[in-house]
Amino acid sequence: MAERVRKAFSVRRLPGFTTVTMICFAALYAPIIVIVLYSFNAGDSVALWEGFSLDWYAVAAQNEQVQDATLRSLLIALWASGIATTLATMAALGTTRTAKFPGSTLIYVLINQPLMVPEIVTAVALLIFFASIKVATGYSGLAYLILAHAAFCVPFAYLPIRARLEGMDRVLEIAAADLYATPWQTFRRVTLPLVAPGIVAGAMLAFVISLDDVIITEFVKSAGQDTLPTYMLGQLRRAVTPEVNAISTALLGLTILLLTAFFILTGRNDKSA
């Protein structure tokens, strides 16, 4: 009987479901396919195909501005993801390995607040906050960008780490405590190894989010601190060139690689938890 009910309410049987699905996928991926395709265009046109070539990738690789922006993006993403993952791990432990207390739901909401607030609002707030510090200290280095990226990356790292902790069986932790292990020994030898895949997954997700960010970077960065996305935005204000298409494709490839590793890692987490 239950099987008959599931078949009756199968979404795939709805009229036009397949057509709507295909339209949605086309709207999502057709522009990306066009960018990838024209990144291999032999000519300098972004609308006329003139043959296959890898020249624009070589041009982008030899561009010193692209090299500087890429190194700066990777440096910021590494630091920001490291800081965000550390804070997210502490927050996840604090919200899953303690007894329920008044206000715990509010803390969960506050940690995930950057996911719900429009990014432009966060960017303006960070601009005002860091501008006052710049005036007071005179420092205008990359630390502001790193801290800004770390601030909005925390919830992205927090979610997989918390999910991993909530899915873990606490029998081993309780057994360690029963065998007179101190809280630190239990954490270091039991909890940390078990939650490590979630921490790695959270760090990878935070790294990708930081690497792709444009809005907050545009608001917080000082002169000469272009990241790869903001450099590309600056080039697009002049014209769309095959070089930008090549950079976009390379960035897309890196993002797909990291996200694939993230989903593989989280998939293994679900099976092993």
Side-chain angles (χ1 to χ4, degrees), residues 162-216:
R162 180 188 169 99
R164 175 68 179 173
L165 283 168
E166 287 183 332
M168 283 168 43
D169 192 343
R170 299 197 62 181
V171 169
L172 293 176
E173 294 171 303
I174 295 172
D178 287 343
L179 294 172
Y180 302 102
T182 63
W184 170 247
Q185 288 173 328
T186 302
F187 171 74
R188 185 167 62 87
R189 299 193 176 185
V190 179
T191 306
L192 187 58
L194 290 175
V195 79
I199 294 174
V200 174
M204 291 170 62
L205 190 58
F207 182 86
V208 171
I209 297 298
S210 172
L211 197 64
D212 288 346
D213 181 74
V214 173
I215 298 177
I216 289 178

Side-chain angles (χ1 to χ4, degrees), residues 1-139:
M1 181 65 182
E3 185 179 353
R4 291 175 59 186
V5 171
R6 282 198 297 273
K7 287 183 179 178
F9 288 97
S10 175
V11 177
R12 296 178 181 178
R13 296 175 183 272
L14 292 175
F17 175 77
T18 303
T19 304
V20 172
T21 302
M22 297 301 292
I23 292 174
C24 291
F25 275 110
L28 285 172
Y29 292 104
I32 297 176
I33 294 172
V34 170
I35 287 179
V36 173
L37 180 65
Y38 276 92
S39 69
F40 298 103
N41 192 5
D44 58 359
S45 172
V46 293
L48 181 62
W49 180 256
E50 300 179 34
F52 180 85
S53 174
L54 295 174
D55 289 348
W56 293 110
Y57 286 89
V59 171
Q62 294 170 2
N63 187 326
E64 292 185 359
Q65 290 180 300
V66 174
Q67 294 173 5
D68 292 341
T70 302
L71 291 175
R72 193 174 295 112
S73 294
L74 293 174
L75 179 65
I76 293 170
L78 282 172
W79 274 103
S81 59
I83 295 171
T85 304
T86 302
L87 295 176
T89 302
M90 296 169 64
L93 288 169
T95 53
T96 60
R97 288 300 184 269
T98 55
K100 192 77 173 178
F101 56 91
S104 58
T105 303
L106 177 62
I107 291 176
Y108 178 79
V109 172
L110 290 175
I111 293 172
N112 291 288
Q113 176 263 352
L115 296 177
M116 296 176 278
V117 174
E119 191 174 354
I120 189 70
V121 175
T122 305
V124 172
L126 289 170
L127 169 66
I128 297 172
F129 178 70
F130 287 133
S132 60
I133 297 178
K134 287 180 184 179
V135 171
T137 63
Y139 174 74

Side-chain angles (χ1 to χ4, degrees), residues 152-165:
F152 76 86
C153 282
V154 167
F156 293 97
Y158 172 78
L159 291 177
I161 298 172
R162 180 188 169 99
R164 175 68 179 173
L165 283 168

Side-chain angles (χ1 to χ4, degrees), residues 135-146:
V135 171
T137 63
Y139 174 74
S140 59
L142 283 180
Y144 299 113
L145 274 176
I146 292 171

